[in-house]
Structures are given as C-alpha cells and as structure tokens.
C-alpha cells in the first residue's frame, strides 16, 4: 500500500456535531489552526442535525429562572450519580452558549420578542428553547457550520474516519484515520486532540440515531488509555415511533407533540396506564424517560401491548385546528404517510436514544491522558443514571466550547509534538482482503439484536451473561485483521472497523450492567429491583493489556450539590 | 407468494467501467428504497456502496441518488413491488457504486 497521507495542525477535532463544531470555533477564535474532521459529511452525520425537540437552559426569558434550579433538576433526574462539576458547568454556562447561538442567527422560537420556553418532563418550570417546527437540530447544525465556514483557521474534511488515536511518550499527539472516500490512511499530528464523536445508539436494533453512532469515541479513547464511566446507563426514549411505518421522520418525533399537546398513552384496552407506575398524567406530559420506558415495557409484558409490541399514543382528543397550529407542515408529512391524528392513535415503543456514560473528564474537558480532550455526548457523567430532556444539546454546546478553550490554552504551552507513533494502526489498515470473510452487514445486525434483546432497558443476570457469550462469539468471527479492501468507499472494511469498536463498547456496557447489582435510572435489573445506597457509585472502566477492568468511585451526594 | 421489488442498481468504480445488477428484495408496504438497499447489504452483498447516515429522519441529506431517472432521497422514496432503477447522481463525480462526491470542495480532504 502507498505511503499514508500526512497532515499537521494545532488542534484536531474529531466529529462535527454541535460539540465538535463549537470546539473548533472556540479554538480558532483563540488563534489556533484547527482541523475538523468527520467520518460522514461535515455537520450532517451525527445526532445534532437529527434533534427535533428542545434545548434546556435557564434563560429566564419568559419567567424567572436561575441555573441552580436547572442544576437541581438535573441532579434529581440523574438519580444520585451525576458528576456535580460537569452538571454544574452544563447548567451554568448553558445560557451563554444559547445566547451566542442566538446572535449567530439560529432562530430560537420567540413570542413578543422574547425567546419562548416549553415545559419538558423533569424540569420544574418551562425551560426548553426550540426552533419551529421540529427544526432545532438542523438549525443548530446549520448555524454552527456557517460560523465554522466563516472563521479563519479551520480546515475541514468529511469522509475521514478516525481508527485510533496516536501517541508519543504517553501523550496523545494526533490520530490515524481512514479516508473512506479513497481508502487511503491518513496520519494527523496535533498538539491537542478533541474527541467529539457522539454516542453509541447504533449498538441497538431500534435506535433514533444515525449510522455513525457506534460508540467509536469510547473505544478509541479506551484503547488510548482513557477511562470511561457510567457505561451501563443507556437512555431509551419511551415513545419511539413503531407503527405504521413512517418515512422521512425520525422515530422520536412524537415528543414535541406531547410537549405542546399532552397526548394520551394507552394500552391495548385503550386505557391510560402510567398511573399504575406512580405517574398519573391527566393529559399532561410529565413522565420521565426512565419511568416511561419501564411502564411501557411492563404493559407489553403483561399482554396489554399494541399489535406491533408497543403501546398507543393518541391525540384524538385534539382538534384538527389545534394540531395544525402546533405542527403546521408536519401534519401534511404525516398525511403522506397515511396518518391522521384526529382519527387514529399511533403505536410507540422504547428506542435507544442517548448515552449517559462516556469518557471521564474534568470541567476543563481533559481526560486522564495528556493531549486528549473530549466534548459532547462522548463525555460521561454530567447526566448520571438518567438524562433530562433537552440537556444533551446544551451539553454538546457547553462542553464543546470548553474543550476548544482548553485546547487553545494547551497549544500555547506545547512545542511541536514529536511525530505520533502510528505504526500499529497503519499496519492494521494495510490488511489484505480475506476470501472467506463473513458478511459484515449481517454481523452488525446480529450485534444489534444481541444488545436489543439482552442488554435493553430491562436486564437480568441471565440475559446479560448470554449477551456476553454472544459478543465473544462475534469477536472471534471478527478476528484481528480487517475484511474488505483499501478502495474508495469500501463499506465492508468500514463495517469491520466499526464492529471492532462496537464489540468493545457492547462488552463494556454489558459487563458494567452485570456488575451493578441494583436498579437505578436507565439501568433496570428485573432480578434486582430497587436502588441501593451502597450503589451510589460510578463504575470506571479501563483497558489493561487488552482486558476490561471495572472499578468503583463514590458519586457526589445530591444533598451537597443541590445547594 | 409475497411480493418482490426488483432493484436494478449501478455497480462500478466509475461511470464507464460498470454495469447494472438486479437484486430481488422482499416487499413490505411502507418501506423506503433505502430500506431495500440496506436489506441487500445484509442478505445478498455487503460490498454494495451507498451513502446514508440518518436512516429515517431525512436530516443528513446524504442519500440523494437517481431513482427511475429522478434525483431524489432514497430514504423518502417508497419501495414498490416492481422493477426500479437506482443510479448514482449523474452530475457528480462517481466514487463507487451509488456513492458520489457531494461535499462542497472546502469540506473534502485536501492535503499538500
Ligand atoms: C433523533 C434525535 C433527537 C434528539 N433530540 C434532542 C433534543 O431535542 N434535545 C436534546 O437536548 N438532545 C437531543 N438529542 C441528543 C442530542 O442530539 C445529542 O446528544 C447531541 O447532538 C450530541 O452532539 P455531539 O456533537 O456530541 O455528537 P453528534 O452530533 O452525534 O456528532 C458526532 C459526530 O462524530 C462523527 N464521528 C463519529 N465517529 C467518528 C470517527 N471514528 N471518526 C470521525 N468522525 C466520527 C459522526 O459522524 C458525527 O458527525 C437527540 C438525539 C437524536 C438521535
Ligand atoms: S439517510 Fe439521511 S436524508 Fe436520507
């Protein structure tokens, strides 16, 4: 194979969602040369562009609010496991980022000149800003991409998938990427590297995310020596669209409807049921994500589910005029899918949506490994065992901005790093085609089935152990050398590289879930119901000589943090 | 017998060296052409190349191709129980199969 392509920069930003783009802007504004890369196209491949709902922030634009209230709600939702410092950063710095986005013309919905705030479950008041209609993520992404384009010092490249970080003398000094567009390896050296690769929901069969969210960043950082935390806490979104088949809209699209219009969750007897799980709704949307997911799955288990294995969500009590006012053109898109909400309920069921866990970082977004920073959903800890609606975009913006700042400060005191040691990864990418290779797309689907069936929201020891042995089998089938060829857009090779990460991350999630012998937030053990005080700990995952090691660290008590 | 959609798909590394190949895909009402392409990768041929990210949301705008001669998103076009022709965008540089170079030039890899 030809020599690898080489590039050099001050700051390398991996991933161009809200976190990566904000980080790039902030570092460039501080005078750094920035290289912003993405395995997909810039600003289009991750969760940010797909978000449809709201962004939680204590702006106080319509009624008084203060970040400490938002902070309190975040900690409560996190069921005692939030990393206080990170949660506080999110809540305290949120308003500044949202206001800056406003000056950049994102177009937050307004009434009488003031930014409108919506109420979302788990928040003590209306606190969530949005862009109509269902346009929050696209607007955030487009705005940031525009600012990135206008800021001097940021070079950008899509189709560039990072395979591993590269180090020299224990310091991360860049990364090795596979240029999907040509099949060529690329070695990038950098004084500071920011991993902003988003979450892991692609591990699950039914998920709300994109094809680029297989947890690459978690695996890459773990291999580079950085610990992960809270990996057992995968958030399921309770009311993901299930049936009838809907195209052109993300399955989580019903949430905004519920914010604005309430809506009724019904079982197969057409009866409301959330009150049996401690949360009566009375036409208002108040149930949090962990409880909602639990209630729906339990209803289905009891034989009271809808035909496709979920429950019903009904807006039949709303008039056509009310629906039209709240959702304008979206009503026409639904009509094209033969859905008339005034006449029929739809079916919904929990769907993998967000990851609370991630790379451990301090408030400067530094990991344990020098030279390596993280941002956005890739970071673990701010949301504990359960995330509040709207906190993820705020997290991406705030953590991105902070990572950019820290990187710039780090660049100022770093001499040109010695060239990264890229040999091992380059050797991997040099792999020959394997003739008898199994179908990678099928393997990926198999992994998603294992995770969905046995490592979903409701877990047992038996299911988790079965999952681990299936993951081991897949790992063996995958082997140590990549399938496919070093040619343009070879999806077989890309799948192999993805599976290498996904198998690692799946194993980490499953092992952490097996060790946590209680139920808390998004982690529900059917064999071990109830929260235990001794489990107010975060689990920390490290890779030692290729083996996963999990230890415990006490979490900060909520009483202290809530002051 | 259940119904079948036959996708006639352009395969090849550039616009001259290539051919159409036909794949039979089980048809279920409500599916998209992208669902069909993903089905082919899992059950027939994992080497088929096409671009997509968001799968359902129609947010990433990466799955644009020519379906029965019309420039359109694969994820919002319904699969139909008949023969359908799927080609890469005619006006963009072909990367492979259905993948074309659609990123703006300043967002592509450019190294000295
Ligand atoms: C459908 C949907 C709706 C949502 N709605 C909301 C909402 O209303 N409010 C809210 O607060 N949150 C919402 N969330 C969550 C929120 O959108 C995400 O948590 C947030 O956008 C994450 O931003 P990020 O920048 O960290 O990651 P992302 O936006 O996911 O970006 C990560 C980027 O990294 C790239 N990448 C990944 N691996 C690699 C690699 N190996 N090499 C190079 N690049 C790589 C990806 O292609 C992607 O572009 C939603 C999520 C989804 C999926
Ligand atoms: S797959 Fe994203 S727009 Fe079609």
């Amino acid at each position: 194979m030809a020599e690898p392509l080489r590039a050099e920069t001050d700051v390398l930003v991996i991933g161009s969602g809200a976190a990566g783009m904000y980080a790039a802007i902030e570092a460039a504004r501080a005078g750094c040369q920035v290289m912003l890369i993405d395995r997909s196209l810039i600003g289009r491949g991750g969760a940010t562009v797909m978000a449809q709902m709201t962004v939680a922030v204590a702006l106080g634009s319509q009624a008084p609010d203060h970040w400490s209230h938002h902070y309190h709600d975040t900690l409560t939702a996190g069921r005692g496991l939030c990393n206080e410092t990170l949660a506080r950063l999110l809540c305290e710095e949120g308003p500044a980022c949202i206001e800056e986005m406003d000056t950049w013309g994102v177009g937050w919905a307004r009434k009488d000149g003031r930014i409108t705030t919506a109420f979302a479950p788990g928040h003590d008041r209306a606190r969530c800003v949005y862009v109509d209609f269902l346009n929050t993520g696209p607007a955030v992404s487009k705005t940031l991409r525009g600012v990135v384009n206008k800021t001097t010092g940021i070079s950008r490249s899509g189709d560039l998938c990072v395979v591993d970080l590269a180090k020299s003398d224990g310091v991360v000094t860049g990364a090795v990427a596979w240029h999907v567009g040509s099949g060529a390896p690329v070695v990038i050296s950098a004084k500071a590297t920011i991993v902003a690769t988003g979450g892991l929901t692609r591990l699950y069969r039914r998920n709300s995310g994109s094809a680029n969210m297989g947890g690459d960043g978690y695996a890459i950082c773990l291999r580079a020596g950085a610990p992960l935390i809270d990996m057992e806490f995968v958030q399921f979104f309770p009311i993901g669209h299930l049936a009838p088949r809907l195209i052109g809209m993300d399955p989580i699209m019903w949430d905004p409807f519920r914010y604005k219009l309430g809506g009724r969750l019904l079982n197969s007897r057409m009866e409301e049921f959330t009150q049996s799980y401690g949360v009566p709704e009375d036409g208002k949307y108040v149930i949090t994500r962990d409880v909602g997911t639990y209630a729906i799955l339990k209803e289905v288990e009891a034989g009271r589910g809808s035909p496709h294995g979920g429950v019903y969500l009904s807006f039949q009590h709303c008039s056509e005029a009310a629906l039209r006012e709240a959702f304008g053109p979206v009503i026409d898109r639904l009509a094209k899918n033969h859905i008339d909400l005034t006449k029929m309920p739809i079916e919904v069921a929990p769907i993998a949506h967000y990851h609370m866990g991630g790379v451990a970082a301090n408030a400067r977004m530094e990991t344990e490994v020098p030279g390596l920073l993280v941002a956005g959903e890739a970071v673990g800890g701010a949301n504990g065992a359960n995330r509040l609606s709207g906190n993820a975009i705020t997290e991406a913006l705030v953590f991105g901005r902070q990572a950019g700042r820290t990187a710039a400060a780090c660049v100022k005191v770093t001499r040109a790093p010695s060239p990264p040691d890229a040999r091992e990864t380059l050797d991997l990418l040099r792999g020959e085609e394997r003739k008898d290779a199994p179908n990678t797309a099928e393997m990926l689907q198999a992994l998603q089935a294992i995770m969905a069936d046995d490592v979903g929201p409701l877990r047992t020891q038996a299911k988790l152990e079965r999952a681990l042995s299936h993951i081991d089998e897949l790992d063996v089938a995958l082997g140590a050398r990549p399938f496919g060829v070093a040619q343009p857009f070879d999806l077989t090779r890309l799948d192999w590289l993805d599976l290498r990460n996904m198998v690692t991350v799946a194993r980490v999630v499953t092992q952490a879930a097996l060790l946590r012998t209680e139920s808390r937030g998004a982690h529900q053990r059917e064999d071990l119901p109830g929260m235990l005080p001794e489990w107010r700990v975060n689990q920390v995952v490290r890779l030692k000589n290729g083996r996963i090691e999990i230890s415990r660290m006490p979490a900060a008590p909520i009483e202290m943090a809530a002051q | 017998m259940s119904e079948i959609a036959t996708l006639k798909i352009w395969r090849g590394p550039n616009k001259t060296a290539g051919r159409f190949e036909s794949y039979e895909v089980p048809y279920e009402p409500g599916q998209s052409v992208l669902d069909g392409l993903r089905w082919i990768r899992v059950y027939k041929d994992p080497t088929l190349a096409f671009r997509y990210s968001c799968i359902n949301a129609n947010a990433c705008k990466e799955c644009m191709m020519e379906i029965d001669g019309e420039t359109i998103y694969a994820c919002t076009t319904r699969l139909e129980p008949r023969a359908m022709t799927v080609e890469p965008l005619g006006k963009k540089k072909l990367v492979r199969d259905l993948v074309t170079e659609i990123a703006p030039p300043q967002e592509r890899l450019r190294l000295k």
Side-chain angles (χ1 to χ4, degrees):
Chain A
M1 192 169 61
E3 276 300 293
L5 304 167
R6 290 189 189 269
E8 217 182 289
T9 184
D10 290 335
V11 179
L12 171 63
V13 181
I14 307 168
S16 62
M21 289 198 280
Y22 219 132
I25 293 165
E26 194 68 13
R29 285 200 286 209
C32 297
Q33 285 296 321
V34 179
M35 191 168 172
L36 173 66
I37 66 175
D38 200 289
R39 56 177 289 157
S40 176
L41 302 179
I42 296 294
R44 305 208 235 163
T48 302
V49 75
M50 300 173 71
Q52 295 171 334
M53 306 177 280
T54 58
V55 184
V57 59
L59 273 188
S61 54
Q62 284 188 310
D65 198 356
H66 187 262
W67 69 263
S68 60
H69 304 311
H70 183 193
Y71 179 53
H72 185 264
D73 290 345
T74 299
L75 297 182
T76 307
R79 315 280 181 234
L81 287 201
C82 292
N83 174 317
E84 271 182 55
T85 339
L86 294 183
R88 177 170 172 156
L89 181 73
L90 188 166
C91 299
E92 199 171 0
E93 304 273 312
C97 291
I98 294 306
E99 276 158 10
E100 182 157 58
M101 291 293 294
D102 195 47
T103 65
W104 286 335
V106 69
W108 302 125
R110 280 186 146 78
K111 198 172 178 195
D112 307 327
R114 289 166 184 238
I115 296 178
T116 329
T117 48
F119 179 83
H123 291 278
D124 70 348
R125 65 197 75 200
R127 177 177 292 135
C128 296
V129 304
Y130 56 94
V131 181
D132 266 327
F133 290 97
L134 310 194
N135 204 32
T136 300
V140 164
S141 197
K142 186 167 170 233
T143 303
L144 286 169
R145 193 165 155 214
V147 178
V148 163
N149 290 350
K150 275 190 264 162
T151 308
T152 33
I154 309 177
S155 75
R156 290 144 280 158
S157 171
D159 282 343
L160 204 49
C161 180
V162 169
V163 178
D164 264 312
L165 296 166
K167 286 163 109 174
S168 54
D169 304 324
V171 178
V172 167
T173 52
V176 184
W178 191 61
H179 185 232
V180 187
S182 64
V186 183
V187 179
I188 303 158
S189 22
K191 292 179 185 163
T193 301
I194 302 172
V195 169
T197 47
L200 53 56
T201 45
R202 192 191 184 196
L203 289 179
Y204 291 86
R205 186 170 39 216
R206 264 172 49 78
N207 69 71
S208 65
S210 82
N212 303 303
M213 294 160 61
D216 285 4
Y218 307 131
I220 287 167
C221 289
L222 193 64
R223 284 196 294 268
L228 310 179
I229 66 163
D230 293 346
M231 290 300 283
E232 63 273 39
F233 296 107
V234 179
Q235 179 163 70
F236 279 73
F237 177 81
I239 51 166
H241 183 81
L242 182 63
R245 179 81 173 92
L246 180 63
I247 61 176
M249 294 176 103
D250 194 82
I252 62 146
M253 54 161 302
W254 297 115
D255 226 31
F257 280 77
R258 295 205 74 199
Y259 290 149
K260 287 194 182 174
L261 303 169
R264 298 172 69 213
L265 275 179
L266 306 170
N267 61 19
S268 59
R269 300 180 189 152
M270 293 298 161
E271 289 166 359
E272 282 177 296
F273 57 87
T274 59
Q275 69 283 357
S276 329
Y277 302 89
V279 188
E281 287 217 308
D282 299 327
K284 282 200 211 73
Y285 184 24
V286 292
I287 197 163
T288 54
R289 290 183 177 171
D290 49 357
V291 183
T293 295
Y294 184 82
I296 292 172
L297 293 178
K298 282 294 175 190
E299 257 337 82
V300 174
E301 204 179 274
R304 294 188 294 271
S306 62
H308 291 84
V311 296
Y312 293 109
L313 175 62
S314 170
F315 294 96
Q316 281 163 277
H317 56 287
C318 301
S319 70
E320 197 173 334
L323 285 160
R324 174 70 57 184
E325 191 196 328
F327 291 99
V330 180
I331 301 301
D332 302 321
R333 276 198 267 159
L334 289 172
K336 278 201 195 129
N337 281 283
H338 312 292
I339 294 176
D340 178 349
L341 294 176
T342 59
K343 297 208 168 63
M344 60 199 273
I346 60 257
E347 288 180 59
V348 295
I351 184 167
H353 181 55
Y354 172 86
H355 193 42
M356 269 75 75
V359 184
N362 63 18
R364 288 168 46 82
M365 296 297 125
E366 293 161 322
T367 67
E368 243 178 48
V369 182
L372 177 59
L373 309 170
V374 277
E377 196 172 333
V379 180
N383 297 287
N386 177 50
R387 170 178 70 92
L388 277 184
S389 330
N391 265 10
I393 300 220
T394 318
E395 165 185 78
L397 298 170
V398 170
F399 291 6
R401 187 175 74 151
Q402 181 57 52
R405 276 185 194 167
T406 306
C410 162
V411 164
K412 291 213 171 75
V413 297
T414 310
R415 283 175 294 129
S418 29
D421 180 0
R423 275 170 306 181
E424 219 177 293
T425 313
L426 287 174
D427 178 58
L428 185 77
L429 290 175
R430 221 166 264 138
E432 298 286 315
E433 180 166 23
R434 231 179 79 179
K435 286 282 172 282
D436 56 343
N439 180 332
T440 49
E442 199 183 342
M443 290 171 82
L444 240 147
Q445 192 165 289
L447 180 61
Q448 291 175 323
I450 297 168
M451 294 302 284
D453 295 340
D454 287 340
V455 199
L458 305 186
R459 304 162 172 181
T460 63
Q461 180 176 346
K463 284 199 206 172
L464 294 167
E465 282 171 349
R466 180 168 62 190
L468 277 180
S469 79
H470 285 153
I471 293 168
D472 286 344
E473 284 164 24
L474 264 184
D475 200 4
V476 171
L478 199 61
R481 304 295 302 169
F483 311 158
V485 198
Q487 67 174 355
F489 238 89
D490 191 285
L491 289 191
T492 313
R493 176 142 299 186
L494 189 62
D495 281 349
W496 190 92
L497 294 169
D498 289 352
L499 275 161
R500 171 179 179 243
N501 293 333
M502 289 170 78
V503 161
T504 301
V505 177
R507 193 179 271 139
V508 167
V509 172
T510 312
Q511 285 193 9
L514 193 56
L515 286 174
R516 182 174 283 279
T517 46
E518 63 148 6
S519 292
R520 186 182 294 263
H523 167 77
Q524 292 295 322
R525 285 283 298 262
E526 294 201 276
D527 48 349
L528 299 159
M531 269 201 288
L532 299 176
E534 61 266 35
W535 269 108
R536 192 174 269 193
V537 294
N538 301 103
Q539 296 196 92
V540 183
V541 184
R542 288 168 199 277
L543 203 62
K544 292 241 171 83
N545 304 320
R547 289 186 62 83
I548 292 165
E549 283 183 12
I550 302 184
S551 58
R552 296 176 197 174
M553 176 179 87
I558 193 168
E559 297 79 26
M560 246 173 64
Q563 282 162 23
Chain B
M1 254 256 341
S2 53
E3 290 184 288
I4 296 283
T6 305
L7 295 181
K8 208 176 127 210
I9 301 174
W10 175 262
R11 302 292 311 262
N14 58 56
K15 283 181 180 159
T16 45
R19 70 214 169 266
F20 279 101
E21 269 183 36
S22 285
Y23 301 86
E24 293 193 340
V25 177
Y27 166 79
E28 271 174 47
Q31 281 186 310
S32 67
V33 170
L34 183 65
D35 292 336
L37 295 174
R38 295 173 64 222
W39 187 93
I40 292 170
R41 286 203 68 232
V42 175
Y43 295 101
K44 300 264 163 114
D45 184 356
T47 69
L48 174 64
F50 49 94
R51 257 186 215 283
Y52 70 100
S53 281
C54 70
I55 306 171
N56 276 305
N58 194 226
C60 72
K61 311 293 185 197
E62 293 185 7
C63 65
M64 182 96 81
M65 45 189 82
E66 290 183 12
I67 300 173
D68 291 333
E70 194 185 343
T71 300
I72 198 163
Y73 297 112
C75 69
T76 55
T77 307
R78 298 269 181 198
L79 192 68
E80 288 171 34
R82 60 176 176 87
M84 300 180 86
T85 307
V86 188
E87 293 170 89
L89 293 174
K91 294 208 175 79
K92 303 277 181 188
K93 181 174 171 284
L94 185 65
V95 177
R96 210 162 70 79
D97 296 349
L98 299 172
V99 178
T100 49
E101 186 59 91
I102 53 170
Q106 68 278 14
E107 293 179 355
R108 296 181 199 164
L109 184 66
R110 287 158 304 157
L111 299 174
K112 286 129 254 167

